[in-house]
Amino acid sequence: DTSTMNLPPSLQKIAPYLKKADELQSVEPAIAYHCRVFAIELGVQLRDKSDPNASQFLKSLMDQAERQKGSVGDLSDAKDRVEIFALDLFQKADTEFRTGVATKNTLVKFRAASIIMVNSFELIGLLSNVCNLAGGTQTVRRDGRGHCSKIQICQSMVGSYL
């Protein structure tokens, strides 16, 4: 697992991708790998070059990703697997929301789908496919954020009943 507790300040924005990679590692290792690689790519851009801790943290992540790559197996269909996983997750959350059975878990699904969809697809070159399948990146982003906001409002209104 990647410890986000020791994340240098300049790399805080990669925390959601590392968290999602850790959560998915045992069930979807190829998708976890892509989340981690995206975090590395983003971290390289964001890091404070004068902070040796940021560089060391990224080096550690690169080593972890390289070790993981060997155990993930064939990555030739990884693009398809990531796309299917993210769209399926978004669809499940959207169905729960539209049928009125949204829970806190629905919110988690929307957030996870948005982390994987909106950012990882750009990394692995699937943005045009997502636009065609989901009505455009802006639509996916708007719908996901809108649904998350509505669920959070409902949660605050009903408290622990959800």
Side-chain angles (χ1 to χ4, degrees):
D1 286 344
T2 307
S3 174
T4 54
M5 291 178 50
N6 299 325
L7 201 60
S10 64
L11 299 178
Q12 290 300 315
K13 289 186 178 182
I14 70 171
Y17 311 107
L18 296 177
K19 182 178 179 192
K20 192 52 54 190
D22 289 344
E23 290 171 5
L24 293 171
Q25 185 60 46
S26 63
V27 291
E28 290 288 349
I31 294 161
Y33 172 78
H34 280 291
C35 288
R36 195 165 282 112
V37 168
F38 181 78
I40 293 167
E41 299 242 338
L42 183 60
V44 167
Q45 295 171 16
L46 296 174
R47 84 180 192 284
D48 177 356
K49 292 179 177 92
S50 66
D51 180 5
N53 292 329
S55 296
Q56 182 58 37
F57 188 87
L58 288 172
K59 183 183 179 315
S60 174
L61 275 180
M62 288 180 210
D63 292 343
Q64 182 182 7
E66 193 60 34
R67 284 189 309 273
Q68 181 186 7
K69 185 178 182 180
S71 66
V72 170
D74 182 21
L75 291 172
S76 64
D77 69 341
K79 292 178 184 180
D80 293 335
R81 289 169 35 201
V82 170
E83 181 179 6
I84 290 166
F85 179 81
L87 290 173
D88 184 52
L89 191 59
F90 183 87
Q91 186 62 46
K92 285 177 184 176
D94 191 51
T95 299
E96 289 173 10
F97 178 78
R98 291 180 192 276
T99 58
V101 294
T103 65
K104 288 181 183 180
N105 195 37
T106 306
L107 179 63
V108 171
K109 287 176 189 172
F110 273 128
R111 285 187 178 157
S114 72
I115 287 170
I116 296 167
M117 243 188 234
V118 175
N119 297 302
S120 293
F121 282 175
E122 291 175 17
L123 172 69
I124 60 176
L126 292 174
L127 192 54
S128 61
N129 289 345
V130 173
C131 289
N132 293 336
L133 291 172
T137 305
Q138 294 303 321
T139 301
V140 170
R141 194 176 304 194
R142 183 192 67 237
D143 288 354
R145 286 182 183 162
H147 294 339
C148 286
S149 296
K150 290 174 189 173
I151 293 167
Q152 286 174 328
I153 290 168
C154 290
Q155 286 176 343
S156 67
M157 291 172 69
V158 296
S160 63
Y161 292 110
L162 285 180

